[in-house]
Amino acid sequence: MSAAPRERSPFLGLLPLPERNAVVQALRTETVGGLVLLVAAVVALVWANTPWSGVYEQIRDFHFGIPALGLDLSVEHWTADGLLAVFFLVAGIELKRELVVGELRTPATAALPVIAAVCGMIVPAALYAATAAAGGGSLEGWAVPMATDIAFALAVLAVLSTHLPAALRAFLLTLAVVDDLGAILIIAVFFTSDLNLAALGGAFAGLIVFYVLQRCRVRGWWWYVPLGVVTWALMYNGGVHATVAGVAMGLILRTTRDKGETASPAERTSHLLHPVSAGVVVPLFALFAAGVGISGAALAEVFTRPEPLGVVVGLVIGKTLGIFVGTYLAARFTRAQLNPELAWADVLAMAVLAGIGFTVALLIGELAFPDPAAVEHVKAAVLTGSLIAAALAALLIRRRNGVYRRLYEEENRDDDHDGIPDIYQRADAGER
């Protein structure tokens, strides 16, 4: 007697209602922040290419802090090493949520987006290495084109006035979350300076105290904020990039609710800090990181020097190939069945859109190339590659926008005004 054929799981189908609500809430904040990010990036580029560029450089390079504690940093470094810790704290919370209640909670549901994201990191790094090696350039920037900037990508969608169904947005968000985890691991492992074991030990002790406070259900920001700042400072002085402290605390925060709680500590923290991260932290980082000189000669060097060319190739071609091929092969391997309302062209559009690498790509570029002249070329390459990816994705998405709009309206229709989309109240909702 032959075994019954294994049921094929849906891919990019209707999300469970709690997951949909969480995704919609997260992406709403990211979209608004992404629009602010776009404005900040444009201001930085315009400012750095005007007669007042000297003022921009003076502000960016101005140092302040507490030298006795090893924290005498420039404004640019404060935004990269300090403010971005808040961004990675929120990223850590989102990763924890995905691992506990989201798409990554079970191997079966996690396999496809994780494989797609990992391929979307490996292929860009490999193409960068091949391009740089062929031109006799440095391989130090192999990690620059690996990360997707979810806020920038969502800002592009907002500008296009498109209406992606929640499943496509969730797929893009999950890719970005796994990307962020990969970037954090790369920063922690490959971009560390001389280690100060005493300071690093103090940072780990701070994280242990943070964990104990969470386990003991201790509440009150006056415990966690000073502890977090001290842990961040010790991590910075320990030689490990200080943003690692942010993601570690995000992963430690409790995601599940206790009986009688309306929100877990992770939910409360994310609710408070996510708008700050998306609307203030990332745009400020962009303001002081994206200000590069743009001229005909500078743009020509993006396509003639091996390192910046490798970044562009990695973002535009590597991301697209890695994510699309990884998704297709993973779907075949896991016997996942694509939502019949969508086509593989929609996955291709998301793969191209994921080639927008901004915040983390710029950060890794600064870490990989300490020389100011080299990092300027790499920054220009990140901006160029991201703009090319955004333009190509816009063409692909606009072609399918009629399908997206119909699906979006169907999954958000609420004729009885009870706050629950009608599609979730149909008898066959669980089968979609």
Side-chain angles (χ1 to χ4, degrees), residues 31-87:
T31 300
V32 174
L35 293 172
V36 180
L37 168 63
L38 281 177
V39 172
V42 170
V43 169
L45 284 171
V46 172
W47 195 358
N49 289 276
T50 64
W52 299 281
S53 60
V55 177
Y56 174 83
E57 293 172 0
Q58 287 179 350
I59 296 174
R60 182 189 64 190
D61 299 334
F62 177 75
H63 277 65
F64 67 96
I66 309 174
L69 299 180
L71 296 175
D72 184 22
L73 309 176
S74 67
V75 170
E76 182 180 17
H77 284 145
W78 273 114
T79 58
D81 293 310
L83 288 182
L84 276 192
V86 177
F87 166 81

Side-chain angles (χ1 to χ4, degrees), residues 20-216:
R20 173 194 176 277
N21 291 339
V23 167
V24 168
Q25 180 60 37
L27 295 185
R28 184 181 295 117
T29 303
E30 290 286 3
T31 300
V32 174
L35 293 172
V36 180
L37 168 63
L38 281 177
V39 172
V42 170
V43 169
L45 284 171
V46 172
W47 195 358
N49 289 276
T50 64
W52 299 281
S53 60
V55 177
Y56 174 83
E57 293 172 0
Q58 287 179 350
I59 296 174
R60 182 189 64 190
D61 299 334
F62 177 75
H63 277 65
F64 67 96
I66 309 174
L69 299 180
L71 296 175
D72 184 22
L73 309 176
S74 67
V75 170
E76 182 180 17
H77 284 145
W78 273 114
T79 58
D81 293 310
L83 288 182
L84 276 192
V86 177
F87 166 81
F88 278 105
L89 170 61
V90 174
I93 293 173
E94 180 58 33
L95 176 60
K96 179 77 171 288
R97 192 197 71 81
E98 288 286 337
L99 290 170
V100 175
V101 298
E103 287 291 302
L104 305 181
R105 68 186 181 279
T106 62
T109 56
L112 198 147
V114 168
I115 290 172
V118 170
C119 290
M121 291 186 283
I122 292 174
V123 176
L127 286 183
Y128 172 91
T131 304
S138 170
L139 299 181
E140 294 296 320
W142 60 272
V144 175
M146 292 177 66
T148 296
D149 193 306
I150 184 66
F152 209 138
L154 291 173
V156 170
L157 295 178
V159 171
L160 292 174
S161 297
T162 190
H163 295 80
L164 287 186
L168 280 175
R169 292 174 182 264
F171 180 63
L172 185 62
L173 177 61
T174 305
L175 288 176
V177 168
V178 179
D179 269 356
D180 285 342
L181 174 60
I184 292 159
L185 293 174
I186 288 167
I187 290 170
V189 174
F190 295 99
F191 297 104
T192 57
S193 55
D194 294 334
L195 296 181
N196 181 330
L197 296 181
L200 207 54
F204 282 116
L207 292 175
I208 291 172
V209 173
F210 197 97
Y211 174 78
V212 171
L213 291 175
Q214 280 290 289
R215 292 288 293 178
C216 294

